[in-house]
């Protein structure tokens, strides 16, 4: 245990000691992260508080139904936390336990292997705890607040979450250790990516389905019925249910015996942790040392690659674009974001169709007048948004994603303008593909939309604005340490960079939507007759915005990149 | 073919490279030696056009690197000190990419890839992703990428680090062939044996200043005038010029102070 503390003390010291040139930036980043973290928790808490207050008011005459709904909500949030641990924890744990830069050094020291694993176990658990508890505890705090429960309840809720997360984390580590020992490292990474992606997609699918059903339910009573349909509390075999029962055992009104839940949860947490620490003596070293093993690919793949010859487009633009697209196909993170984007867009269309069929008596379809702009503008903005989110992780940060291999471009006969255009093309593809595909899709639905001859140019202009913004951001604030995909490197840096790109793109989508909506927004002020004129002005504004962004990209942006190519 | 004219690079108050002037002629292999942090990589980066000098000029094949960086990069090949490559490309794809950047005819690129992969014994692995390559294999791919377009001028920063003796020998032979064909090769290395055997001339840099340059024989006669030619190795010269001899006493002291497996208190002490 002494060795674990020595290692942890060093980790804690490096975490809290902010020195050097970047200290102010790091401190600000840390503070911003804390503000976002607490802010998100406060939002979740507020939303849950409103919901529990609503339940208390509307179901005061049927306390059984109120309790049933509350159990479902609480159990659902606990289950969500459990899933989040599996989704995010697997990545955090892998990076901390197997890819921390200091593991090799620590294992070379005269300390037992299990102590190195133990220290990394604690660090990854703490990280997972901080990330995951945010999704569950605020709901319980809201519940306790509405029910007027004492401080003992909050203590039990916090203890319950810590124990649940410890159990899940220990089980995860056991599985990871077993898999790392018996499977080659790189194959493992691919498996984790697929595993995480499947869970992520399932969560998106479930949340979208739930929100769709809720939004279609219409009135609050129907929404409660939808919530009541959940049978989460009957899932006795889930540790999240043990936790829920354990905590609710302290609330007399629910009449639940919480002892069994606590015993089961504590036994699982202690047993799995003990097993992980014990087995690490035999499994950890071989798993860690085999993390970078690679299987020799099948001969079939080689033959296919060897056939690719003949004439092809050359020069900086085409070769960089081809290289980026080639690596794109091999990046599971991209597929995950694309699938999530498509699901989100599909449910958006589904919800809109529901709203149109319920509320509109008119004949929806292709409309070019000012009156059609409210929904039809959103029909452009939504796919542009989804595309921008996707390109925030791909083309939008593709210069940063050159990483340490950027020297290959810098040492070659590469002019900055061709490189900028190649990156711009790469960045414009996702929003353009999303907007075009969605516009074509809308042609076959009854949803209000702009006709294709208008939707496609507007989509192209919007996509160009977004791509220019993203590439400009990437040229001015590159992060060549950026690592998005799982197992790509130590620490998985760059989340902040991606988030900045994503939020900036979202803000730009908002601005584009505002410009497109201006005919509707200004209609009351300018009168109906001004509609067509304002519409044309809004197009002109959009074109000017695109022109300005592209000029900024090809002017200052290119000059900046040119300097980067020559001096870094 | 390679000319550095008063090249200087300053980072604030630190002068990384100070008034570096040298010439490498066609058909010559120039060895660039120096202790860690002496300014070797900074010098090479300025010569290649990856770093702007604070003052001075770099000229490659008659092209001013600052004035026409793209033109200069078209005639040179460069191997960095660390072989960072696109992990999601195969070796063949990376070489195709380099060939396309340099607008080599595709058929020529393919033929050249086959040649180089065979030369570096990577033919069987050329369609595997580079992410699975060892350090040495990546190093070979970087050297192959530099050689792909048959550059007139070649810069290599520690090219033999991570290579097995057989591959290191191969690299030496390849560089000799390039020089014999009229190319100019600029190579920085820590391996003095390589510099001594392979290079026509060497330059020694310390604290950013080129303290000596010439053939090994010339340096030997200047730095160690009392020592007979064959008795003084390049290592002796290097240590003499860079002040490394003072460390020998410290090293011998350290070796006598080594702790035993019993722990620090049980360490045997040499007299």
């Amino acid at each position: 245990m002494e060795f674990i503390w020595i290692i942890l003390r060093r980790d804690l010291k490096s975490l809290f000691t902010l020195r050097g040139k970047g200290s102010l930036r790091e401190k600000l980043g840390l503070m911003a992260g804390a503000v976002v973290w607490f802010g998100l928790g406060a939002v979740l808490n507020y939303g849950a508080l409103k919901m529990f207050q609503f339940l208390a008011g509307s179901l005061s005459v049927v306390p059984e139904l109120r309790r049933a709904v509350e159990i479902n909500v609480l159990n659902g949030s606990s289950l969500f936390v459990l899933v989040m641990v599996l989704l995010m924890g697997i990545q955090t744990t892998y990076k901390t336990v197997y890819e921390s830069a200091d593991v090799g050094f620590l294992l070379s020291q005269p300390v037992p292997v299990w102590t190195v694993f133990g220290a990394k176990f604690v660090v990854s658990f703490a990280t997972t705890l901080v990330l995951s508890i945010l999704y569950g505890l605020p709901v319980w705090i809201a519940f306790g607040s509405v029910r007027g429960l004492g401080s003992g309840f909050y203590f039990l809720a916090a203890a319950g979450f810590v124990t649940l997360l410890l159990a899940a984390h220990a089980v995860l580590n056991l599985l990871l250790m077993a898999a790392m020992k018996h499977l080659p490292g790189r194959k493992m990474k691919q498996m984790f990516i697929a595993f995480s992606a499947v869970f992520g997609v399932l969560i998106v699918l479930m949340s979208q389905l739930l929100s769709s059903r809720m939004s279609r339910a219409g009135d609050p009573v129907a929404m409660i019925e939808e919530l009541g349909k959940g049978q989460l509390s009957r899932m006795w075999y889930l540790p999240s249910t043990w936790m829920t029962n354990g905590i609710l055992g302290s609330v007399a009104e629910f009449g639940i015996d919480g002892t069994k839940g606590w015993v089961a949860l504590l036994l699982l947490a202690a047993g799995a942790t003990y097993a992980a620490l014990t087995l690490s003596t035999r499994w950890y070293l071989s798993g860690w040392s085999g993390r970078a093993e690679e299987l020799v690919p099948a001969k079939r793949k080689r033959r296919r690659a060897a056939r690719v010859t003949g004439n092809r487009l050359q020069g900086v633009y085409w070769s960089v674009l081809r290289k980026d697209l080639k690596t794109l196909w091999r990046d599971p993170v991209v597929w995950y974001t694309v699938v999530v984007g498509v699901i989100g867009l599909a449910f958006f269309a589904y919800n809109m169709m529901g709203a149109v069929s319920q509320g509109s008596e008119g004949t929806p379809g292709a409309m070019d007048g000012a009156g059609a702009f409210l929904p039809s503008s959103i029909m452009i903005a939504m796919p542009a948004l989804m595309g921008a989110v996707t390109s925030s992780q791909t083309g939008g940060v593709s210069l940063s994603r050159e990483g340490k291999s950027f020297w290959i471009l810098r040492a070659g006969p590469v002019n900055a303008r061709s490189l900028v255009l190649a990156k711009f093309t790469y960045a414009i593809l996702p929003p353009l593909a999303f907007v075009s595909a969605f516009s074509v899709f809308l042609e076959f639905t009854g949803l209000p939309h702009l006709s294709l001859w208008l939707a496609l140019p507007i989509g192209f202009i919007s996509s160009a604005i977004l791509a220019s913004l993203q590439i400009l951001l990437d040229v001015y604030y590159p992060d060549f340490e950026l690592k998005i995909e799982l197992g790509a490197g130590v620490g998985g840096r760059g989340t902040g960079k991606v988030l900045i790109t994503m939020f900036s793109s979202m803000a730009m989508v908002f601005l584009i939507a505002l410009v497109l909506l201006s005919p509707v927004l200004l209609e009351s002020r300018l009168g109906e007759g001004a509609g067509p004129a304002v519409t044309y002005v809004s197009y002109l504004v959009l074109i000017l915005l695109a022109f300005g962004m592209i000029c900024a990209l090809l002017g200052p942006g290119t000059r900046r990149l040119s300097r980067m190519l020559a001096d870094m | 073919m390679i000319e550095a004219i008063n090249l200087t690079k300053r980072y604030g108050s630190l002068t990384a490279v100070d008034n570096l002037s040298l010439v490498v002629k066609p058909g010559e292999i120039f060895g660039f030696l120096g202790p860690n942090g002496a300014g070797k990589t900074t010098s090479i980066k300025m010569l290649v056009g990856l770093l702007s000098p604070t003052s001075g000029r770099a000229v490659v094949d008659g092209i001013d690197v600052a004035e026409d960086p793209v033109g200069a990069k078209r005639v040179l090949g460069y191997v960095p000190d660390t072989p960072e490559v696109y992990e999601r490309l195969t070796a063949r794809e990376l070489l195709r990419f380099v060939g396309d950047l340099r607008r080599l005819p595709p058929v020529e690129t393919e033929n050249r890839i086959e040649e180089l992969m065979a030369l570096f014994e990577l033919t069987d692995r050329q369609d595997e992703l580079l992410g699975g390559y060892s350090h040495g294999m990546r190093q070979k791919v970087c050297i192959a990428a530099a050689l792909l377009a048959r550059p007139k001028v070649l810069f290599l920063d520690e090219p033999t680090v991570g290579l097995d003796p057989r591959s290191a020998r191969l690299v030496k032979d390849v560089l000799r062939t390039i020089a014999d064909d009229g190319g100019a090769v600029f190579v920085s290395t820590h391996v003095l044996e390589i510099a001594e055997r392979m290079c026509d001339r060497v330059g020694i840099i310390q604290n950013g200043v080129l303290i000596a340059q010439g053939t090994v024989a010339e340096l030997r006669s200047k730095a160690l005038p009392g020592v007979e030619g064959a008795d003084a190795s390049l290592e002796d010269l290097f240590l003499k010029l860079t002040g490394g001899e003072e460390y020998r006493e410290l090293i011998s002291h350290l070796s006598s102070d080594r702790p035993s497996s019993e722990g620090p208190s049980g360490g045997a002490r040499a007299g």
Side-chain angles (χ1 to χ4, degrees):
Chain A
M1 286 302 284
E2 185 195 349
F3 287 124
I4 293 183
W5 173 238
I6 291 171
I7 299 168
L8 279 177
R9 200 169 52 191
R10 198 273 325 263
D11 281 345
L12 287 171
K13 208 172 180 179
S14 61
L15 182 69
F16 290 109
T17 310
L18 300 171
R19 289 187 187 136
K21 285 181 183 174
S23 65
L24 181 65
R25 197 177 164 184
E26 283 178 22
K27 278 176 187 166
L28 285 173
L30 210 62
M31 280 168 62
V35 167
V36 169
W37 192 84
F38 280 109
L40 196 56
V43 168
L44 282 170
N45 179 256
Y46 181 75
L49 197 70
K50 286 288 167 194
M51 186 186 63
F52 285 122
Q53 281 172 347
F54 172 73
L55 289 176
S58 60
L59 298 178
S60 55
V61 289
V62 274
E64 296 82 9
L65 181 57
R66 180 188 169 190
R67 282 198 296 273
V69 174
E70 282 173 338
I71 289 176
N72 267 331
V73 170
L74 293 172
N75 221 344
S77 74
S78 311
L79 182 60
F80 184 69
V81 170
L82 197 63
V83 173
M84 287 303 287
V85 173
L86 290 173
L87 175 64
M88 294 193 310
I90 200 164
Q91 300 197 11
T92 310
T93 304
Y94 183 86
K95 279 174 183 161
T96 310
V97 178
Y98 289 96
E99 291 210 323
S100 291
D102 61 343
V103 171
F105 169 75
L106 293 172
L107 286 172
S108 71
Q109 301 303 308
V111 295
V113 171
W114 74 269
T115 60
V116 178
F117 172 79
K120 295 296 164 193
F121 179 91
V122 172
V123 171
S124 56
F125 172 62
T127 314
T128 309
L129 185 71
V130 169
L131 291 173
S132 305
I133 208 163
L134 177 72
Y135 298 100
L137 204 54
V139 179
W140 285 81
I141 292 171
F143 168 77
S145 171
V146 172
R147 283 268 177 188
L149 301 172
S151 56
F153 168 80
Y154 298 107
F155 173 76
L156 278 180
F161 267 106
V162 171
T163 318
L164 174 71
L165 290 173
L166 178 62
H169 186 67
V171 170
L172 194 66
N173 268 278
L174 274 172
L175 294 172
L176 197 59
M177 221 169 7
M180 285 300 290
K181 181 175 164 54
H182 297 293
L183 290 173
R186 286 195 179 264
K187 206 72 191 166
M188 273 301 301
K189 291 177 187 178
Q190 288 166 8
M191 203 179 84
F192 290 151
I193 291 163
F195 184 71
S196 303
V198 166
F199 262 98
V201 169
L202 280 177
I203 286 174
V204 171
L205 204 61
M206 281 164 63
S207 63
Q208 290 291 337
L209 198 62
L210 185 67
S211 98
S212 173
R213 283 170 64 178
M214 296 281 274
S215 66
R216 284 180 167 226
D219 61 285
V221 178
M223 284 168 72
I224 291 169
E225 280 176 359
E226 284 292 336
L227 273 174
K229 281 179 189 171
Q231 298 296 317
L232 294 171
S233 61
R234 292 186 185 173
M235 294 179 182
W236 57 268
Y237 45 85
L238 288 174
S240 53
T241 311
W242 305 344
M243 188 200 80
T244 307
N245 288 342
I247 301 170
L248 288 180
S250 67
V251 185
E253 199 181 338
F254 282 78
I256 295 172
D257 178 15
T259 316
K260 279 190 281 185
W262 276 115
V263 169
L265 196 60
L266 286 168
L267 276 177
L268 178 67
T273 305
Y274 178 76
L277 291 173
T278 308
L279 286 171
S280 68
T281 305
R282 281 186 288 164
W283 289 2
Y284 180 50
L285 185 60
S286 57
W288 176 81
S289 57
R291 72 199 182 286
E293 282 173 11
E294 186 69 84
L295 289 177
V296 177
K299 285 183 178 175
R300 176 175 53 83
K301 190 181 170 187
R302 210 192 129 210
R303 282 204 302 271
R304 193 171 59 194
R307 278 203 300 268
V308 183
T309 54
N311 292 324
R312 53 181 179 264
L313 295 163
Q314 290 187 299
V316 175
Y317 176 82
W318 290 110
S319 46
V320 171
L321 185 60
R322 188 163 45 235
K323 183 265 296 174
D324 283 341
L325 290 174
K326 192 166 273 176
T327 50
L328 175 78
W329 304 128
R330 294 171 182 164
D331 192 344
V333 171
V334 176
W335 294 110
Y336 170 67
T337 53
V338 169
V339 170
V340 169
V342 169
I343 289 173
L345 214 52
F347 274 99
F348 169 72
Y350 178 64
N351 291 340
M352 286 293 286
M353 284 162 81
V356 166
S357 64
Q358 276 178 11
S360 171
E361 290 182 359
T363 310
M367 290 182 279
D368 293 341
F373 262 76
L374 188 60
S376 47
S377 300
I378 294 172
M379 293 301 183
I380 296 281
M382 270 307 285
L385 181 68
M386 294 298 181
V389 168
T390 304
S391 62
S392 299
Q393 297 190 43
T394 55
V397 290
S398 58
L399 186 69
S400 294
R401 292 191 83 171
E402 291 286 335
K404 289 179 178 168
S405 309
F406 189 39
W407 73 266
I408 296 172
L409 292 175
R410 296 184 64 224
V414 172
N415 64 73
R417 176 160 290 205
S418 301
L419 185 56
V420 156
L421 286 174
K423 297 297 182 189
F424 171 80
T425 310
Y426 184 31
I428 202 176
L429 284 176
L432 192 59
F434 271 75
V435 171
S436 305
F438 197 63
S439 299
V440 172
F441 165 76
L442 289 178
E443 285 288 316
F444 301 100
T445 66
L447 287 171
H449 59 277
L450 297 174
S451 57
L452 273 181
W453 71 267
L454 202 55
L456 291 179
I458 290 178
F460 179 78
I461 292 166
S462 306
S463 304
I465 294 169
L466 289 167
S468 304
L469 173 75
Q470 291 181 339
I471 299 299
L472 269 172
L473 281 172
D474 206 24
V475 166
Y476 277 93
Y477 306 102
D479 180 359
F480 292 104
E481 302 288 321
L482 181 72
K483 299 281 182 191
I484 297 173
E485 65 271 43
L486 170 65
V490 180
R493 270 194 58 177
T495 315
K497 158 87 185 161
V498 171
L499 286 179
I500 288 169
T501 309
M502 201 182 288
F503 288 137
S504 307
S505 306
M506 284 175 173
M508 186 56 92
V509 170
F510 179 74
L511 184 66
I512 291 169
L514 211 61
V515 172
L516 287 171
L517 283 171
S518 56
V520 178
L521 298 174
L522 297 174
E523 197 175 44
S524 58
R525 288 190 181 185
L526 301 173
E528 279 190 30
V534 179
T535 304
Y536 293 126
V537 171
S538 72
Y539 293 159
L540 188 65
V541 169
L542 210 59
I543 290 168
L544 286 175
L545 186 59
F547 182 74
M549 292 298 295
I550 290 171
C551 282
L553 183 64
L554 294 179
T558 304
R559 281 197 293 278
R560 164 87 180 173
L561 185 59
S562 189
R563 283 197 296 276
M564 282 166 70
L565 288 171
D567 191 10
M568 238 174 76
Chain B
M1 217 161 205
I2 302 171
E3 197 174 359
I5 306 160
N6 297 323
L7 270 184
T8 301
K9 184 67 186 179
R10 288 196 193 91
Y11 297 100
S13 58
L14 174 77
T15 304
V17 176
D18 194 5
N19 269 312
L20 176 74
S21 292
L22 54 85
V23 174
V24 182
K25 295 170 189 160
E28 196 172 51
I29 300 179
F30 186 84
F32 201 45
L33 314 176
N36 293 327
K40 298 188 295 294
T41 298
T42 306
S43 303
I44 289 187
K45 282 186 172 176
M46 285 192 287
L47 287 165
V48 173
L50 296 181
L51 200 60
S52 293
T54 309
S55 62
R57 287 171 63 212
V59 180
V60 174
D61 195 30
I63 304 168
D64 189 309
V65 176
E67 282 177 13
D68 183 9
V70 174
K73 287 170 186 176
R74 205 165 275 140
V75 297
L76 65 82
Y78 167 64
V79 179
D81 53 343
T82 48
E84 302 286 355
V85 285
Y86 300 111
E87 299 205 339
R88 291 188 190 277
L89 291 184
T90 66
R92 180 194 289 273
E93 287 166 350
L94 178 76
L95 295 180
R96 272 186 191 148
F97 172 61
V98 172
D100 288 345
L101 279 180
R102 290 172 178 271
R103 291 183 181 276
L104 292 183
V107 175
E108 188 187 327
T109 304
E110 296 303 322
N111 292 339
R112 191 80 176 126
I113 290 171
E114 293 298 330
E115 267 176 46
L116 290 166
M117 290 292 100
L119 182 68
F120 288 107
E121 297 172 331
L122 288 172
T123 305
D124 290 340
R125 310 282 302 266
Q126 64 183 329
D127 292 317
E128 289 177 32
L129 294 183
L130 290 166
Y133 275 33
S134 69
H135 180 95
M137 288 164 71
R138 289 181 191 206
Q139 185 75 359
K140 288 183 193 177
V141 172
C142 285
I143 296 171
L147 297 175
L148 187 79
R150 300 180 197 278
K152 290 180 186 173
V153 181
L154 197 58
F155 290 90
L156 303 99
D157 197 353
E158 302 286 355
T160 53
V161 172
L163 294 184
D164 57 68
R166 183 183 158 93
S167 303
R169 176 61 187 266
L170 176 66
V171 170
K172 280 190 277 181
D173 292 345
V174 169
L175 298 186
R176 185 74 265 167
T177 308
I178 289 171
D180 290 346
D181 288 345
V185 179
F186 189 104
V187 54
S188 88
T189 179
H190 277 120
V191 186
L192 299 176
E193 182 267 335
I194 289 180
E196 190 163 21
R197 290 197 179 188
M198 184 175 71
C199 298
D200 302 307
R201 285 192 310 128
V202 294
I204 298 176
I205 186 172
Q206 188 184 24
N207 297 328
V209 179
L210 189 68
I211 54 173
Q213 64 171 319
T215 63
V216 174
E218 284 169 0
L219 295 186
R220 195 176 283 140
S221 64
K222 281 181 194 168
L224 302 165
V227 181
E228 283 300 311
D231 293 341
S233 67
L234 184 59
E235 185 179 2
D236 295 324
L237 271 172
F238 183 81
L239 291 175
K240 169 86 178 173
L241 290 167
T242 58
E245 281 182 320
E246 66 196 69
Y247 297 114
R248 284 186 170 165
E249 194 182 339
L250 181 63
I251 291 164
S252 65
H253 181 71
L254 279 173
S255 63
S256 66
D257 206 21
R258 191 180 304 134
S260 75
S261 57
E262 305 274 318
S265 58
R269 287 184 181 274

